[in-house]
Amino acid sequence: MNILTFDTEEWYTEFKGLKRPEEYALFDEKLTQILESLDKRGTKGTFFCVGQLAVHFPEVLKKIQQHGHEIGCHSNVHNWLNKMSYNECLDDTKNAMDAIEQCIGEKVLSYRAPAFSICKKNQWAFDVLAECGIERDSSVFPAARDFGGFPDFGQQSPCVIHHNGVNIKEFPIPMTTILGKKMAYSGGGYFRFFPLSFVKKTMSKAGYSMAYFHIRDLIVENHHVMSKEKYEAAFREKGTIKARYVRYFKSSIGKKQAMSKLLNLIEQVNFVNLSEANDNIDWEGVPVVEL
């Protein structure tokens, strides 16, 4: 089972909702290419959208919906959940869900945290998701990573999380092992770094894979290392020289080939969205993770 997902926030997060049509042309262009490619294959994906995208750019969500794709929630303003308190996370999720559901006229059942920022220290976030009506989540990155990671989670395939009396269906990001280290391979900078042949081969060997992409990752840019101030405002941590150069490298690598690689992947691999995957799983037979 191969699941296709997109984390969709750039229209809002890049310019905080300012109406500058010329700034969004590349985002619109890449989204159109993706939707047309998926239409040709008859493939449906899940697009996790931030709530403020629905407020400032409702046409983006409606365009995705008109092509028959599932729309999930990706927080309200794309702040990391592990930087929030319980009540802040609850308000953020409620606001996001309300904005998205009013925009598309449908109940939202799927969720992904920005930067996979549900980890051991804020696993109470699953209580928030359940309270807000979320039934299935794809926020767990079961290895160490920047801004999150849940290396102690113990599962790399669909499972049920049980926490404080609530149950959430979890679709974690699957890993591969390279030189003894667990690594993702099917999305983000990992997808841009690894050859497409490696990604496809790894997917074919696995019974479960999760591809995940950002529109921004598919656009070639001439950008520079972030300033200390901009880095700290974006990531809420110290903007050391090392941290800023590592972020520059990770956000730049492989962008020239990223779009063509994605389109080839869509053409060559059979994908489903999270809703379709949910319907195809025997949930009585999956592991239960007690947190």
Side-chain angles (χ1 to χ4, degrees):
M1 177 186 296
N2 305 307
I3 304 173
L4 181 63
T5 64
F6 296 87
D7 297 351
T8 314
E9 72 267 357
E10 287 87 351
W11 286 259
Y12 173 72
T13 57
E14 292 299 318
F15 306 106
K16 301 300 182 186
L18 296 176
K19 291 293 185 181
R20 300 176 186 169
E22 70 281 2
E23 303 283 11
Y24 307 109
L26 278 175
F27 301 153
D28 294 334
E29 176 187 326
K30 296 302 181 185
L31 178 61
T32 297
Q33 282 183 269
I34 291 167
L35 294 176
E36 290 178 350
S37 180
L38 293 173
D39 284 347
K40 290 177 182 178
R41 284 280 285 161
T43 297
K44 303 304 179 187
T46 295
F47 289 74
F48 294 103
C49 300
V50 297
Q52 287 302 298
L53 190 64
V55 173
H56 296 282
F57 300 92
E59 66 276 8
V60 174
L61 276 72
K62 291 177 180 178
K63 181 176 181 177
I64 294 167
Q65 183 186 40
Q66 287 166 3
H67 284 260
H69 302 288
E70 178 188 14
I71 293 179
C73 179
H74 194 42
S75 82
N76 193 39
V77 294
H78 206 257
N79 287 339
W80 302 176
L81 271 59
N82 54 9
K83 304 291 185 180
M84 298 183 188
S85 68
Y86 183 99
N87 286 335
E88 287 171 337
C89 184
L90 182 60
D91 287 344
D92 180 270
T93 309
K94 283 183 175 179
N95 290 337
M97 296 282 284
D98 181 62
I100 294 171
E101 290 175 351
Q102 286 196 41
C103 178
I104 65 174
E106 295 179 4
K107 182 76 179 76
V108 173
L109 299 175
S110 298
Y111 184 91
R112 174 173 290 151
F116 304 106
S117 53
I118 298 180
C119 50
K120 190 171 184 177
K121 76 174 187 178
N122 69 329
Q123 57 194 32
W124 44 256
F126 295 115
D127 302 347
V128 170
L129 300 186
E131 183 173 343
C132 293
I134 293 295
E135 297 182 2
R136 46 188 180 256
D137 175 66
S138 184
S139 301
V140 171
F141 190 99
R145 75 182 305 274
D146 295 342
F147 315 123
F150 206 146
D152 299 329
F153 187 72
Q155 294 293 329
Q156 296 185 38
S157 60
C159 55
V160 174
I161 291 174
H162 185 254
H163 185 261
N164 281 345
V166 304
N167 291 320
I168 294 285
K169 297 172 181 176
E170 181 62 38
F171 292 83
I173 302 302
M175 302 285 124
T176 189
T177 301
I178 299 177
L179 299 177
K181 182 179 180 179
K182 289 196 300 183
M183 297 182 67
Y185 63 93
S186 55
Y190 303 96
F191 175 80
R192 290 184 276 115
F193 175 76
F194 289 120
L196 181 59
S197 58
F198 172 81
V199 175
K200 288 168 52 185
K201 183 177 180 180
T202 307
M203 282 183 169
S204 68
K205 289 182 177 179
Y208 163 76
S209 73
M210 172 78 68
Y212 58 97
F213 304 96
H214 285 85
I215 300 293
R216 171 61 75 190
D217 288 343
L218 308 172
I219 297 174
V220 179
E221 302 170 284
N222 293 318
H223 66 283
H224 304 285
V225 177
M226 295 175 73
S227 68
K228 183 175 184 292
E229 294 73 20
K230 188 173 181 180
Y231 181 95
E232 291 180 350
F235 300 115
R236 298 189 183 183
E237 65 175 26
K238 289 186 177 180
T240 64
I241 293 176
K242 178 182 177 181
R244 287 183 282 135
Y245 269 91
V246 168
R247 177 52 42 191
Y248 173 77
F249 173 77
K250 289 183 176 180
S251 62
S252 302
I253 190 169
K255 280 197 170 184
K256 287 184 179 179
Q257 298 81 30
M259 189 66 184
S260 61
K261 283 173 69 176
L262 170 58
L263 297 180
N264 283 332
L265 188 72
I266 290 171
E267 290 176 2
Q268 298 169 25
V269 175
N270 294 322
F271 284 106
V272 295
N273 64 21
L274 218 62
S275 176
E276 292 170 318
N278 176 77
D279 293 341
N280 290 331
I281 292 173
D282 175 12
W283 289 100
E284 295 296 324
V286 305
V288 176
V289 176
E290 298 282 352
L291 296 178

